[in-house]
Amino acid sequence: MAYSDKVVEHYENPRNVGAFDASDPEIGTGLVGAPACGDVMRLQIRVDDEGVIQDARFKTFGCGSAIASSSLATEWLKGKSLDEAATIHNSMIAEELSLPPVKIHCSVLAEDAIKSAIEDYKQKRAARQALSEPPVEVRAEERPAG
Amino acid sequence: MTLKLPIYLDNHATTPLDPRVLDAMLPYFTQDFGNAASRTHAFGWRAEAAVEDARESIARLMNAESGKEIVFTSGATESDNLAIKGVAEYYGDKGKHVVTTVIEHKAVLDSCKRLEKEGFEVTYVGVGKNGVVDPNDIEKALTDKTILVSVMLANNEVGTVQPIAEIGKRTRARGVLFHVDAVQGIGKTPFDVRAMNVDLASISAHKIYGPKGVGALYVRRGKPRVRLGAQMDGGGHERGNRSGTLNVPGIVGFAKACEILEREGAEESKRIRALRDRLYTRITKALPDVIVNGDLEQRLPGNLNISFACVEGEGLMMAIKDVAVSSGSACTSASLEPSYVLRAMGLEEADAHSSIRFGIGRFNTEEEIDYVADLVIAKVRKLREMSPLWEMQQQGIDLKSIQWAAH
Ligand SMILES: Cc1ncc(COP(=O)(O)O)c(C=O)c1O
C-alpha cells in the first residue's frame, strides 16, 4: 500500500515520542488498543492548572498510519484546553493524513487515546480534590503554583 | 561495488526471470510462434517439439516417469484447482472425503471449501508449533470414504518442509490419492514423485525464475493411473485434461528454469542457506527477543520468518521500505486478520503481527544481506524505543496481565 506524504513525514520524523511519569498529578495517560489487534497507543498529556495541555507524548506499537496518527495527535493537543482537545475527531486525523479506508481504525484509535488521556487526568484531579478537600474552601486560583 | 536499491527479498511471492530463461523463450514469440496443436505444418510441429521437450525437462526435475504425465496450466492456482476438483469429480462416487492441512495455500484451501459446498467432507489437519504436520495425524484422518490427501511440500510463509515421503507411504498403503503442492519446494528441497509415492503435484514457473502465468500438474500414469474430471472444456488439449492453446514461450521458459534448477539447485541451495544463516545470525546477535517462526532445520534454505517482539510488522516494513519483504501482520491483508498459518502454529497474535518473512533467492548477494541486517537492526531498535509494549516489557510488566480493550 502506498502511504501519503504526510504519513511518511510523521513516520520518519515522529513528534513527541516518549513518556511522562504517569504517577505525576499533572499527567493524564491513555493506553488503548491491544497487542492481539496489532496496534497499541499510549498517549500522555501534561495539563496545567488552567486546564490547558502544555505538552504531550506518545509511544505506539503499530503500522505507519498508527504511528503517524498518534504523532499528529500529540502535535494538535499542545496548547489546547481539555474541552478543545475533546473535540478532536478521528475524521480530522484521517483527513489530515489522507488515510485510506483500511487505515481509518488508526485514527479512531488516536481519538480513543486522546479521550482516554483526558479522562485519566480528570479522574486523577477529582480523586486528588476529594482527598485534599480543605475544611475551608481554597479556590483553585489561590492554591500555590507548583 | 555499489549496492542497488531496492533490494528484493520476497522470493516466495515471485522470482525474477533468469536471463537464460528469457533467451530460451524469445524465439518462440516471433520466429517459432506456431500453435503446438497445428498438425499440418512446420510451424505447429516446431512448437509441438518444443513443448514435448519441455515436458521431459519438467518431468525429470521431480523424477516423473515420463513427460506424458505433465499437464500444462496457467499456474499453480489452476493446478491445485484441477487436482482437487478433478479428483473429486472423477472419484466422488468412491467416497466424498478429502484430507488436507490448515497451512495450505488458499488455492488448495478454497478448492476444498468449494467441495464442501458440493457435499464433500474435508478434514483440515493441524500442525505443530514448528509448522510441520505429523504424518500420523494425516493417517488418523483417513476413512473408508477418503479419496484424496493434499499436503504442500513446503509452506510459502514459514518455509517449513513437510514429511511428504512419510505421508506418501501411508496414502499409498491405503489406496488414497496423494496431491502435493510443490510450488515452493521444488528444486530447493528433495522432491521425487516416485520415491515419495506422490500421485499429483502442482508446480509454477514464476517461483523458480521462470515466467508468470505458466504452471503444471503432474498426473501419475502408471500404477495407479490417476484420472481427472477436466475443469476447462474446449479443444481437448493436454489429453483432455486441460483445454486451451498452449503458452509455448512460457512452457519453454518453464522447462529451461527446471533444467537450470536440476543442474544448479543443490549448489544454489547451499549458497542461499548460507546467506539465510548469515542474516539470521547477524540479527539475533544484535537484537534480543527475536523469535523464529517455524522449524529452523526442516525448512527451505531461503526462508527466514521471524517476529521482532513489540514491533509491528507493517510498521517495520515501512521503516525498511527499500527492502522488499512481506509480513504476517494483519495490516498487510485485506481481511485485517493476521496470518492463518502463524495462528495455526499457535503463535500469539501479537507475535503474528510482528512477523517478517525474508525470502532469499538466486540473485541475492552477501552484500545485500549485510545491508539488510544492519538496516533491520537499526530500525527495530528505533521502533522499540517508540513502542509502549517494549517499554512495559523492559519494566518487567507481563503484557498478558493487562486488560486490553479489543477494538
Ligand atoms: C504454495 C503455493 N501454492 C500455490 C501458489 C499459486 O501459484 P500461482 O501464482 O502460479 O498461481 C503459490 C503462489 O503464491 C504458492 O506459494
Side-chain angles (χ1 to χ4, degrees):
Chain A
M1 185 186 312
Y3 290 97
S4 73
D5 291 346
K6 278 191 181 144
V7 168
V8 173
E9 208 278 314
H10 271 279
Y11 179 81
E12 281 173 358
N13 310 292
R15 332 285 202 256
N16 311 306
V17 175
F20 293 136
D21 178 357
S23 63
D24 187 324
E26 292 184 316
I27 304 300
T29 301
L31 180 66
V32 298
C37 300
D39 29 31
V40 174
M41 283 181 194
R42 190 187 60 202
L43 195 145
Q44 296 184 296
I45 48 176
R46 178 189 295 285
V47 186
D48 69 11
D49 288 342
E50 319 299 316
V52 174
I53 297 169
Q54 294 297 330
D55 207 353
R57 291 279 183 278
F58 84 93
K59 281 198 181 186
T60 290
F61 163 81
C63 64
S65 303
I67 288 172
S69 295
S70 30
S71 169
L72 177 66
T74 58
E75 259 197 335
W76 278 358
L77 285 171
K78 285 195 213 178
K80 284 204 166 59
S81 71
L82 291 177
D83 287 344
E84 286 166 347
T87 65
I88 295 176
H89 193 261
N90 82 76
S91 60
M92 298 152 74
I93 295 169
E95 192 184 315
E96 173 69 16
L97 295 174
S98 311
L99 296 182
V102 297
K103 295 294 177 188
I104 297 299
H105 71 276
C106 297
S107 65
V108 173
L109 205 59
E111 181 188 326
D112 288 351
I114 294 171
K115 299 233 152 77
S116 167
I118 294 172
E119 190 52 32
D120 179 61
Y121 172 78
K122 284 185 173 165
Q123 273 179 16
K124 274 162 83 176
R125 193 182 52 184
R128 200 159 15 102
Q129 279 173 350
L131 269 181
S132 62
E133 195 82 319
V136 207
E137 293 157 74
V138 179
R139 314 256 290 281
E141 298 83 347
E142 295 164 7
R143 284 212 309 262
Chain B
M1 202 177 105
T2 53
L3 200 66
K4 246 183 76 193
L5 296 177
I7 293 169
Y8 190 72
L9 280 186
D10 201 13
N11 285 281
H12 300 292
T14 192
T15 54
L17 195 80
D18 189 301
R20 293 169 288 182
V21 171
L22 180 63
D23 286 344
M25 290 171 70
L26 282 174
Y28 292 90
F29 286 104
T30 47
Q31 269 155 261
D32 297 323
F33 58 85
N35 186 328
S38 297
R39 293 279 154 76
T40 50
H41 49 67
F43 296 90
W45 300 332
R46 276 208 298 277
E48 190 190 13
V51 167
E52 294 315 312
D53 282 351
R55 284 189 211 282
E56 296 303 328
S57 298
I58 294 165
R60 219 179 308 123
L61 186 61
M62 57 177 87
N63 195 29
E65 215 170 290
S66 120
K68 294 194 178 75
E69 297 174 307
I70 300 298
V71 173
F72 287 114
T73 65
S74 63
T77 298
E78 187 188 340
S79 302
D80 287 342
N81 272 263
L82 177 57
I84 293 165
K85 295 174 185 172
V87 164
E89 189 176 320
Y90 198 88
Y91 296 92
D93 291 342
K94 280 180 64 185
K96 287 193 159 22
H97 182 229
V98 172
V99 175
T100 186
T101 80
V102 291
I103 61 165
E104 298 302 306
H105 190 268
K106 286 287 183 193
V108 167
L109 292 177
D110 288 356
S111 293
C112 288
K113 290 257 144 58
R114 173 83 65 180
L115 293 187
E116 285 181 293
K117 282 195 195 129
E118 290 168 4
F120 279 76
E121 197 188 319
V122 180
T123 304
Y124 301 90
V125 176
V127 294
K129 262 191 159 343
N130 62 351
V132 179
V133 69
D134 181 339
N136 294 321
D137 290 345
I138 299 285
E139 187 166 22
K140 278 185 225 147
L142 301 178
T143 72
D144 298 347
K145 301 272 179 285
T146 312
I147 52 167
L148 177 70
V149 169
S150 179
V151 178
M152 66 199 334
L153 173 58
N155 180 264
N156 45 300
E157 287 190 39
V158 288
T160 48
V161 175
Q162 307 301 321
I164 297 303
E166 290 302 309
I167 297 168
K169 255 188 235 160
R170 291 159 168 81
T171 49
R172 185 56 56 83
R174 294 281 295 260
V176 172
L177 293 179
F178 184 26
H179 167 248
V180 174
D181 176 336
V183 169
Q184 294 288 345
I186 192 151
K188 300 162 194 172
T189 185
F191 185 59
D192 180 323
V193 290
R194 276 188 277 179
M196 295 177 174
N197 294 309
V198 173
D199 301 309
L200 297 128
S202 303
I203 59 174
S204 181
H206 76 98
K207 309 281 187 180
I208 55 170
Y209 314 96
K212 290 167 186 59
V214 55
L217 180 66
Y218 158 77
V219 185
R220 178 182 288 271
R221 276 166 69 85
K223 280 190 283 169
R225 184 184 186 123
V226 180
R227 308 242 178 214
L228 296 173
Q231 303 301 303
M232 188 74 80
D233 297 314
H237 308 75
E238 300 299 90
R239 294 165 205 282
N241 283 315
R242 199 276 190 182
S243 290
T245 297
L246 290 176
N247 169 5
V248 178
I251 287 166
V252 168
F254 192 4
K256 183 71 183 180
C258 288
E259 288 159 21
I260 294 171
L261 262 188
E262 196 193 358
R263 242 186 357 257
E264 304 175 2
E267 267 314 301
E268 175 169 292
S269 285
K270 269 191 226 154
R271 189 186 73 85
I272 288 174
R273 181 177 169 143
L275 291 180
R276 195 269 311 279
D277 291 347
R278 185 180 178 97
L279 180 63
Y280 174 68
T281 309
R282 287 204 159 207
I283 288 174
T284 49
K285 259 194 184 155
L287 294 174
D289 298 297
V290 176
I291 310 154
V292 180
N293 300 313
D295 199 289
L296 203 47
E297 283 310 313
Q298 284 188 63
R299 191 186 198 94
L300 292 177
N303 178 283
L304 185 62
N305 187 311
I306 45 184
S307 291
F308 299 93
C310 304
V311 175
E312 202 275 332
E314 192 190 346
L316 179 56
M317 285 202 298
M318 188 169 170
I320 57 170
K321 62 180 185 313
D322 284 334
V323 182
V325 294
S326 75
S327 168
S329 154
C331 292
T332 57
S333 74
S335 66
L336 293 181
E337 291 281 323
S339 148
Y340 64 90
V341 173
L342 296 177
R343 282 184 301 154
M345 289 162 54
L347 213 69
E348 295 278 345
E349 282 199 18
D351 291 330
H353 283 290
S354 299
S355 77
I356 296 282
R357 178 186 71 180
F358 299 92
I360 301 167
R362 178 174 294 167
F363 300 105
N364 291 121
T365 64
E366 200 169 274
E367 198 186 10
E368 286 178 335
I369 294 300
D370 289 350
Y371 175 88
V372 171
D374 290 345
L375 185 69
V376 166
I377 291 163
K379 297 300 182 182
V380 167
R381 284 189 178 136
K382 180 181 169 204
L383 288 168
R384 280 180 172 170
E385 280 309 304
M386 287 172 65
S387 167
L389 303 181
W390 182 250
E391 185 187 302
M392 291 178 196
Q393 189 167 304
Q394 296 310 105
Q395 290 166 352
I397 298 170
D398 178 8
L399 295 176
K400 288 193 207 87
S401 72
I402 294 176
Q403 288 271 320
W404 300 101
H407 61 285

